[in-house]
Amino acid sequence: MTFDKEKILQYCNHVSKNTLMQTLNIEYTDAGEDFLVATMPVNPSVHQPMGLLHGGASVALAESVGSAASMLYVNSELSEVRGIEISANHLKAKRDGIVTATARIVHKGRSIHLWEIRITDENNILISLCKLTNMILPKRKSENK
């Protein structure tokens, strides 16, 4: 399969419609052979009560980009991706602006993918460092077919 960055970004943004990714205004912005990038605006809709970026919003961004990245490595007609573990270290507070999550593959096995996701601000300062483990499962047959 030939790598087509624009098709990948278009697909990731299209399948995000009417999901949590759309609610959080996550946008996929860059892709490569071993990485995927998405951005999310930081504003009151993703704040915790103290007016800072909510850790849960950061984790949702990380899992979104890491899971989408795993989908790039599997045949979606035969396999499904499921996040089975995520951890996050929140290192710096953020009140406004944009955060960028870059998922890079650490391990690409047949049944397990391990991703490191770095969430940075506009100055490339590390906000959160996350690790996501995805399980690759055989696609279940739909009962409606």
Side-chain angles (χ1 to χ4, degrees), residues 27-113:
E27 180 182 357
Y28 295 90
T29 60
D30 198 9
E33 296 284 345
D34 66 344
F35 71 92
L36 184 63
V37 178
T39 60
M40 181 178 72
V42 180
N43 56 46
S45 69
V46 295
H47 282 170
Q48 40 95 314
M50 299 298 291
L52 302 171
L53 174 60
H54 194 292
S58 295
V59 169
L61 172 62
E63 185 157 359
S64 297
V65 72
S67 292
S70 274
M71 287 299 300
L72 303 179
Y73 287 118
V74 302
N75 179 336
S76 62
E77 292 184 16
L78 301 175
S79 301
E80 297 179 341
V81 173
R82 295 287 184 273
I84 59 172
E85 181 179 14
I86 189 163
S87 65
N89 292 98
H90 305 299
L91 305 170
K92 186 157 177 51
K94 182 84 173 143
R95 291 186 183 278
D96 55 29
I98 300 281
V99 288
T100 300
T102 303
R104 292 197 180 274
I105 192 80
V106 174
H107 173 76
K108 182 180 77 168
R110 284 177 292 169
S111 59
I112 296 288
H113 292 176

Side-chain angles (χ1 to χ4, degrees), residues 81-144:
V81 173
R82 295 287 184 273
I84 59 172
E85 181 179 14
I86 189 163
S87 65
N89 292 98
H90 305 299
L91 305 170
K92 186 157 177 51
K94 182 84 173 143
R95 291 186 183 278
D96 55 29
I98 300 281
V99 288
T100 300
T102 303
R104 292 197 180 274
I105 192 80
V106 174
H107 173 76
K108 182 180 77 168
R110 284 177 292 169
S111 59
I112 296 288
H113 292 176
L114 176 63
W115 294 91
E116 177 186 77
I117 301 105
R118 298 175 66 85
I119 300 175
T120 58
D121 70 5
E122 302 88 344
N123 298 312
N124 206 32
I125 295 171
L126 189 61
I127 303 298
S128 296
L129 181 61
C130 306
K131 181 181 75 170
L132 172 66
T133 306
N134 289 326
M135 178 178 282
I136 312 307
L137 300 169
K139 193 165 198 169
R140 294 180 182 168
K141 292 181 181 177
S142 174
E143 294 178 19
N144 297 331

